[in-house]
Amino acid sequence: MMIKINISSNVIGEPILAESMIETKTALNISQAHFDSTYGEIIAEVETDDFKSIREALESKGAKVTVLDHPIVRDEEECVECGACISVCPGHVFSFDEEWGIAQDIEKCIQCGTCIKMCPHHALSLEK
Amino acid sequence: MVEKSIEEINRRIKEGSVNVVTAEEMVGIVGELGAKEAAKEVDVVTTGTFGAMCSSGAWLNFGHPEPPMKMNKVFLNGVEAYSGVAAVDAFIGAGQLSETEGFDYGGAHVIEDLIRGKSIDLHATSYGTDCYPRKTLDTTLNIYDLNQAIMINPRNGYQKYNVATNGINRTIYTYMGSLLPNYGNVTYSGAGVLSPLSNDPDYQTIGVGTPIFLGGTKGHIIGEGTQHSPETNFGTLMLRGDLKDMSADYIRAANFHEYGTSLYVGMGIPIPILNEQLAQSTAVTDKDVVTNVLDYGVPSRDRPVLRKVNYEELRSGSIEINGKDTPTSSMSSFKKSREIAGELKKWVAAGEFFVNTPSQRLPAKATCKPMRQTTRNPLVQDIMAKDVVVIDENATFHEAAKMIMENTFSHLPVVSEDGKLAGIVTAWDISKAVAETGCNYVKDIMTKRVLTSNATDPIDIAARNLDMKEVSAMPVIDKDRYVIGIITSNDISKLFARRR
Ligand code: SF4
Ligand code: SF4
């Protein structure tokens, strides 16, 4: 599953990510990270079984963890299966199947919204 | 030499004994049998393409209202349709944007809504004449209420398309979709192996009057398209079809973010295999269709060519740009193109669709000229202020304030010790410095990431940069970053006001 970890300015200098991973022996597969002096935001994939323990570890050190559970939705009526969305997605969610239709691996979606602007047919949305 | 006649092929279509295959299947057949045997075996090869074709539209005839009106301006769901012809005819173009909804709704959407049988609001105005006294009109109608709804596409079915990527450091939004910064992705269009014109590049069978698949129904080629450029392998076609018989499966409105609207058009052409040469040309593969990758980051008609590429490479999912593996996206749908070639094949096999000899050949020798421009495009150097005052980064902000007071500029470029541009300060930065403590020198308060311009940039590009970054002035620098002028949005507005 995909999670978002927010680190606020008061703890930003501390290695809480590394500590939490070592403590819980959990691997976080980081797909995007943003840090500056005021905040940090990390998008990462974690095994569902490990989620509870890593969340506890991170939150005990002052981070905020949110589950990204509203991945991209594709309206199959609107979609013409062009493939325009494929190259812009940082999560590699979309690909062509053998018949040149669109295959998608929704689990990898980090909800960045980039594909929504790309789609010429308004077929994609991040519905809440 | 194998020679077959159109009559012979049509007889087989009628009898149900025709051998029709898609252009994809033809590759294997010619590979196996050779062109000569394949020409004996195969009678018709079908092609197909489904992609954005901005140069599309429809002529609509609304019938006469009572009292009658010569419609002068016509709006369909808020989208202007051209009505500078007879009283109640109008051409709705795919790329025209709604007056109220902008990028979200355009002529393409009106066309799709018409095909779907939806109601459309018509608003028209006129100046009124003795024969057509009415001045305004508002009504709601659908496609069945119209006398004619004829799709006429001035330029469709491009033989191939340039491939797009972007070398600048921000995402740009184009008719080729979102192009990520620093060659982050590549977008392409066209059906490669199935592309109609790539399968008959010598226009042996494709010409005026050729029956085609258009939008789910039978249409015709009515001539070469605008910008037809067969000599550079960028041939185009002008098409006609009855909108009333079309299906939204094959005609779809599209929006390109920050670019505008376009129409995805499904089109396919049957190619009668009259001889070996046609068997050979319809065996064209993705690998044989070669095009150029252009840098759309350069806002010029002559975009730099980064490399050559064929459709097999494009469709593999990534290509190499500057030594980096770069993901590709198709803007047109190969799956739909296949569906169209398959559908056309079914029509021919079922004896419902015949081939013919063009009533006129399309020009095989032509190229597309750039525009003749009789007024010189103004450049930044034509309107920039050359007597620009600069300040040293080690000066105090008091000195900067004094300089701004004494001069008419409100922007002061800052230079480092070697005289090169280091930043910019404005009156606003100085007032901020007064309010805060610890900022005594210009270098503490200046903006370091300065938007700059080159003297030889066209004004339109400078204007767009100012607009997009929401700044009001840019230092003009030479290639060594020495400040040679300054250009402000004020200078530009004055120039544009004069131009109008
Ligand atoms: S929002 Fe779209 S582009 Fe972003 S990760 Fe999800 S699928 Fe990919
Ligand atoms: S860009 Fe839109 S229409 Fe094209 S394949 Fe992706 S979701 Fe479908």
Side-chain angles (χ1 to χ4, degrees):
Chain A
M1 61 200 285
M2 300 299 297
I3 58 170
K4 182 164 86 183
I5 306 161
N6 286 92
I7 300 170
S8 55
S9 58
N10 51 337
V11 285
I12 201 146
E14 289 156 39
I16 62 177
L17 212 56
E19 282 173 13
S20 304
M21 284 201 261
I22 294 166
E23 252 175 58
T24 58
K25 296 203 172 59
T26 299
L28 284 178
N29 189 5
I30 296 174
S31 54
Q32 281 205 338
H34 172 90
F35 277 97
D36 64 27
S37 54
T38 57
Y39 84 105
E41 185 180 289
I42 295 120
I43 310 275
E45 198 182 344
V46 61
E47 292 290 333
T48 313
D49 293 346
D50 297 335
F51 169 65
K52 257 185 88 182
S53 55
I54 191 95
R55 181 179 61 188
E56 274 163 25
L58 283 163
E59 291 192 335
S60 72
K61 299 183 201 324
K64 198 169 148 272
V65 178
T66 354
V67 180
L68 296 179
D69 56 358
H70 292 286
I72 202 76
V73 180
R74 183 167 61 98
D75 179 340
E76 293 188 14
E77 283 295 304
E78 290 297 332
C79 175
V80 302
E81 305 190 88
C82 56
C85 47
I86 295 175
S87 75
V88 295
C89 172
H92 305 289
V93 169
F94 306 104
S95 58
F96 279 124
D97 64 21
E98 271 163 27
E99 300 292 308
W100 297 96
I102 295 295
Q104 50 193 34
D105 188 350
I106 292 298
E107 294 275 290
K108 294 183 185 160
C109 176
I110 59 169
Q111 301 174 45
C112 66
T114 312
C115 58
I116 298 176
K117 284 184 187 166
M118 180 59 150
C119 175
H121 297 275
H122 284 176
L124 299 169
S125 56
L126 284 170
E127 306 263 275
K128 288 269 149 89
Chain B
M1 271 291 277
V2 186
E3 289 285 351
K4 257 187 282 181
S5 69
I6 292 285
E7 291 69 31
E8 207 177 323
I9 294 173
N10 278 341
R11 200 180 59 238
R12 282 190 206 145
I13 295 177
K14 206 168 161 191
E15 288 169 3
S17 62
V18 67
N19 186 9
V20 49
V21 302
T22 69
E24 237 182 325
E25 293 162 341
M26 190 64 170
V27 176
I29 296 172
V30 173
E32 202 178 302
L33 305 179
K36 192 169 169 196
E37 287 306 305
K40 284 188 201 154
E41 283 289 312
V42 177
D43 301 312
V44 180
V45 170
T46 61
T47 60
T49 178
F50 182 84
M53 305 195 194
C54 297
S55 181
S56 299
W59 279 107
L60 311 174
N61 178 281
F62 303 105
H64 287 282
E66 176 64 23
M69 178 180 191
K70 180 184 187 308
M71 301 200 298
N72 188 29
K73 287 249 177 227
V74 170
F75 295 89
L76 298 167
N77 283 351
V79 182
E80 184 166 14
Y82 179 74
S83 56
V85 282
V88 289
D89 287 314
F91 183 78
I92 179 78
Q96 187 74 38
L97 298 179
S98 152
E99 304 270 299
T100 50
E101 290 176 65
F103 286 151
D104 283 339
Y105 192 90
H109 298 79
V110 174
I111 293 169
E112 183 180 331
D113 284 347
L114 279 169
I115 291 176
R116 289 188 187 275
K118 291 192 188 167
S119 292
I120 305 283
D121 292 330
L122 166 70
H123 171 70
T125 57
S126 177
Y127 44 81
T129 71
D130 284 344
C131 45
Y132 290 113
R134 187 178 192 125
K135 285 193 166 175
T136 64
L137 176 96
D138 281 281
T139 183
T140 300
L141 36 74
N142 64 36
I143 196 165
Y144 311 107
D145 298 320
L146 305 179
N147 287 314
Q148 282 79 25
I150 313 269
M151 175 173 277
I152 299 279
N153 301 340
R155 177 169 69 258
N156 272 187
Y158 252 116
Q159 190 167 358
K160 63 182 191 187
Y161 298 81
N162 284 319
V163 173
T165 187
N166 164 32
I168 64 172
N169 62 7
R170 67 170 176 92
T171 301
I172 58 172
Y173 300 101
T174 70
Y175 62 86
M176 292 296 286
S178 319
L179 298 172
L180 303 178
N182 309 316
Y183 307 117
N185 68 335
V186 165
T187 63
Y188 66 97
S189 253
V193 57
L194 284 171
S195 155
L197 286 186
S198 293
N199 277 275
D200 181 9
D202 303 319
Y203 305 89
Q204 279 200 56
T205 71
I206 295 177
V208 178
T210 300
I212 59 169
F213 175 108
L214 185 61
T217 186
K218 182 177 163 182
H220 288 93
I221 293 170
I222 54 177
E224 77 273 28
T226 54
Q227 290 182 27
H228 180 58
S229 184
E231 282 179 58
T232 56
N233 295 323
F234 281 93
T236 72
L237 299 170
M238 197 175 287
L239 310 178
R240 177 200 189 275
D242 194 339
L243 207 64
K244 290 191 179 193
D245 297 331
M246 291 187 188
S247 145
D249 288 344
Y250 300 109
I251 299 287
R252 283 295 181 83
N255 306 69
F256 289 96
H257 187 71
E258 288 190 15
Y259 167 76
T261 61
S262 183
L263 196 67
Y264 273 56
V265 176
M267 193 269 280
I269 304 181
I271 298 169
I273 303 303
L274 304 173
N275 53 43
E276 279 167 60
Q277 205 196 339
L278 279 162
Q280 192 61 56
S281 71
T282 50
V284 67
T285 64
D286 279 336
K287 211 174 174 169
D288 301 326
V289 186
V290 178
T291 184
N292 290 325
V293 181
L294 304 189
D295 185 353
Y296 275 60
V298 178
S300 158
R301 184 177 60 210
D302 306 309
R303 298 192 170 97
V305 176
L306 297 173
R307 56 166 286 185
K308 286 208 172 307
V309 70
N310 66 48
Y311 277 76
E312 185 177 271
E313 295 169 290
L314 288 167
R315 288 177 60 202
S316 74
S318 65
I319 63 166
E320 202 185 290
I321 304 271
N322 290 344
K324 215 179 81 203
D325 212 28
T326 309
T328 58
S329 265
S330 166
M331 302 305 293
S332 48
S333 171
F334 192 73
K335 193 175 178 188
K336 284 254 181 202
S337 308
R338 240 189 200 171
E339 241 174 79
I340 290 162
E343 191 69 12
L344 192 49
K345 174 178 157 177
K346 259 194 254 161
W347 292 356
V348 174
E352 292 163 2
F353 199 101
F354 294 87
V355 290
N356 70 11
T357 307
S359 62
Q360 192 182 309
R361 298 280 300 262
L362 297 184
K365 290 250 169 297
T367 52
C368 171
K369 295 192 293 252
M371 181 185 278
R372 169 170 180 243
Q373 284 166 288
T374 52
T375 49
R376 196 174 73 91
N377 212 25
L379 305 178
V380 166
Q381 65 197 18
D382 300 331
I383 65 160
M384 70 182 187
K386 295 192 182 84
D387 52 345
V388 59
V389 182
V390 298
I391 189 160
D392 191 284
E393 62 179 352
N394 295 315
T396 65
F397 74 78
H398 286 112
E399 289 171 274
K402 201 160 156 258
M403 249 184 199
I404 287 182
M405 292 285 292
E406 280 167 5
N407 291 284
T408 48
F409 305 125
S410 51
H411 294 78
L412 204 51
V414 182
V415 295
S416 49
E417 269 162 40
D418 54 9
K420 295 183 183 184
L421 181 69
I424 195 162
V425 285
T426 62
W428 168 248
D429 295 324
I430 293 174
S431 30
K432 258 194 333 199
V434 175
E436 284 168 27
T437 46
C439 300
N440 294 327
Y441 298 103
V442 167
K443 65 179 169 205
D444 303 326
I445 59 169
M446 69 185 184
T447 304
K448 293 198 182 84
R449 289 187 65 172
V450 200
L451 191 65
T452 59
S453 177
N454 299 313
T456 51
D457 284 349
I459 289 294
D460 301 76
I461 290 173
R464 186 164 166 81
N465 283 337
L466 285 172
D467 254 11
M468 291 205 22
K469 297 281 159 53
E470 295 179 341
V471 297
S472 52
M474 286 189 289
V476 182
I477 54 173
D478 66 11
K479 63 181 194 320
D480 301 317
R481 288 190 72 79
Y482 289 110
V483 180
I484 55 172
I486 190 159
I487 181 160
T488 68
S489 45
N490 220 350
D491 300 335
I492 295 176
S493 328
K494 273 191 228 146
L495 175 85
F496 284 162
R498 270 208 310 277
R499 253 204 222 173
R500 253 177 229 121

